[in-house]
Amino acid sequence: MKGIADKVNSLLKFLIVVCLSLMAIFVFMNVVLRYAFNSGITWSEEVSRFLFVWLIFLGAILAFNDNEHLGVDVVIKKLSLTGKKIVYIISNIILLITLVFLLDGSWKLTMLNTDLSAPATGMSYAYIYVFGVIMSAAMIFIILLKLYKLIVKKDHSQLIMAASEDSIDHNDISEKGDKK
């Protein structure tokens, strides 16, 4: 399972690099053509905008998987291990509910926009909205996997948000997972 997750992470990182690279190339080309030749590529702005949206959604999946989204854990650090588990489960259930709504809304927007096409490229706007479906489905899967690890496998490593090495108290949780 770890090997699959690493491959998916590598694929997402590669896709982000491709999106960012293509965006930079298209925008740079268009700027050079406008200033040097007084013309431009009509579709480059539109494709760059699509790539930017895709880059953001793919980056959100990666950040979510690594617990790198903004979080405040001042109160959580003061709780016992049982309290941390309860708050973790409740917050993930709230996230699951929110992501189900996001998945549903993104799916409806994707279906509504299949017939609408972008003016310069002719690409369907569904290509933008489908990334909301992909992102929310991926995050739902990540949450379910993390809850499985916590509840079934008793893995308490998810209870601490990703942080700098200086701010983590490694003596807080013993090997059994009990608070010292």
Side-chain angles (χ1 to χ4, degrees), residues 2-25:
K2 183 77 170 158
I4 294 171
D6 289 341
K7 288 180 182 180
V8 170
N9 275 350
S10 296
L11 176 66
L12 289 175
K13 288 177 185 178
F14 174 75
L15 290 173
I16 288 171
V17 168
V18 168
C19 287
L20 187 59
S21 301
L22 288 174
M23 271 176 45
I25 290 167

Side-chain angles (χ1 to χ4, degrees), residues 57-112:
F57 281 123
L58 293 172
I61 295 169
L62 277 178
F64 188 76
N65 187 44
D66 296 337
N67 286 332
E68 292 178 349
H69 281 281
L70 184 62
V72 180
D73 60 353
V74 174
V75 176
I76 305 299
K77 285 183 177 180
K78 297 183 187 300
L79 294 175
S80 67
L81 182 63
T82 306
K84 288 178 185 178
K85 284 182 189 178
I86 291 169
V87 170
Y88 184 81
I89 291 170
I90 290 171
S91 66
N92 278 296
I93 289 172
I94 292 169
L95 278 171
L96 272 174
I97 293 167
T98 305
L99 287 168
V100 167
F101 285 131
L102 181 64
L103 178 71
D104 180 55
S106 296
W107 179 253
K108 287 176 182 174
L109 278 172
T110 302
M111 292 296 107
L112 282 172

Side-chain angles (χ1 to χ4, degrees), residues 1-8 141 144-145 148-149 153:
M1 188 71 145
K2 183 77 170 158
I4 294 171
D6 289 341
K7 288 180 182 180
V8 170
F141 178 74
L144 292 175
L145 188 64
Y148 171 78
K149 285 181 182 178
K153 295 209 173 195

Side-chain angles (χ1 to χ4, degrees), residues 30-72:
N30 213 17
V31 168
V32 169
L33 287 172
R34 282 190 183 159
Y35 283 105
F37 301 106
N38 205 16
S39 71
I41 305 170
T42 56
W43 53 265
S44 71
E45 277 185 53
E46 204 166 89
V47 172
S48 295
R49 187 175 55 229
F50 280 27
L51 290 169
F52 184 67
V53 170
W54 298 339
L55 180 141
I56 296 300
F57 281 123
L58 293 172
I61 295 169
L62 277 178
F64 188 76
N65 187 44
D66 296 337
N67 286 332
E68 292 178 349
H69 281 281
L70 184 62
V72 180

